[in-house]
Amino acid sequence: VSDYPDVPLIFDPVLASGRGDEMATEDMIEAMRELLIPQTTIITPNSLEARRLADDGRDEERSLEDCARRILEMGCEYVLITGTHENTLQVVNTLYGQQGVIRSDSWQRLPGSYHGSGCTLASAIAATLANGLDIPEAVREAQEYTWQTLNAGFRPGMGQHIPDRFFWAREAEDNEKKQED
């Protein structure tokens, strides 16, 4: 990554599986803190991941704002903490920069759980940045797209729902069929 310092790095840390199984050891988290986060343009942890990344060994529970500040001190430019794991009526995602909160967006909490929402959001941020948007606008557009994928999501069995990343194509196809009828 350090060979391409002008290319934005969007980092979606996955520290546990959707079922809650640990996927990252403390050594891996320390490597993220030392090697990846300092080179990151925007990191997109959920609230549980933010607390783990910001953990300094104290037994105190950190506020999400304090977690964001600590992650920013590790060297990244922006932190978008998603509220999917918080016990709130709406999902609240907050973008932080060196100056504090840049934007906070609320989304209707959808029923069920989803596999792939974080990587969908991070990929959408990368795509919107590649299309020339600045970080706050890229985050807003990416969140809107991600929410739409989740709202149109499907459950292919007994597990978690999957985002429908092609919801827009299906909507266009449905509209065409309605016009033909």
Side-chain angles (χ1 to χ4, degrees):
V1 186
S2 60
D3 289 343
Y4 303 96
D6 295 333
V7 175
L9 176 62
I10 293 77
F11 180 24
D12 178 32
V14 179
L15 307 183
S17 73
R19 292 184 312 215
D21 300 328
E22 294 297 322
M23 295 178 63
T25 65
E26 286 307 312
D27 287 342
M28 292 168 71
I29 291 172
E30 193 56 38
M32 289 177 197
R33 289 178 184 137
E34 291 179 16
L35 302 173
L36 287 176
I37 293 176
Q39 299 181 71
T40 297
T41 306
I42 182 169
I43 186 170
T44 61
N46 63 45
S47 57
L48 301 177
E49 293 163 337
R51 287 185 175 101
R52 231 173 129 196
L53 288 168
D55 184 19
D56 60 2
R58 297 183 194 163
D59 286 336
E60 62 192 53
E61 173 100 2
R62 293 183 177 276
S63 70
L64 292 178
E65 188 166 352
D66 189 39
C67 291
R69 183 190 48 73
R70 183 144 161 68
I71 294 168
L72 287 162
E73 288 171 355
M74 294 175 199
C76 67
E77 294 179 50
Y78 298 92
V79 178
L80 175 64
I81 299 180
T82 62
T84 54
H85 289 79
E86 295 297 290
N87 188 18
T88 55
L89 292 176
Q90 291 191 309
V91 174
V92 179
N93 299 340
T94 306
L95 177 65
Y96 300 88
Q98 295 300 329
Q99 64 277 22
V101 174
I102 295 173
R103 69 175 303 125
S104 186
D105 298 291
S106 299
W107 303 95
Q108 176 187 346
R109 187 174 293 280
L110 298 169
S113 63
Y114 293 82
H115 179 78
S117 57
C119 62
T120 300
L121 176 59
S123 298
I125 292 170
T128 54
L129 288 174
N131 277 304
L133 286 120
D134 62 358
I135 292 281
E137 191 62 19
V139 165
R140 192 196 71 69
E141 290 287 327
Q143 289 180 105
E144 175 64 31
Y145 168 78
T146 301
W147 189 88
Q148 294 294 339
T149 69
L150 299 176
N151 190 42
F154 57 97
R155 191 171 178 207
M158 299 302 293
Q160 294 177 302
H161 291 81
I162 306 292
D164 181 357
R165 296 175 185 106
F166 292 104
F167 72 90
W168 52 271
R170 290 183 226 307
E171 286 176 359
E173 188 177 277
D174 289 346
N175 287 338
E176 284 178 24
K177 285 180 183 178
K178 286 178 185 175
Q179 289 177 355
E180 289 173 4
D181 293 338

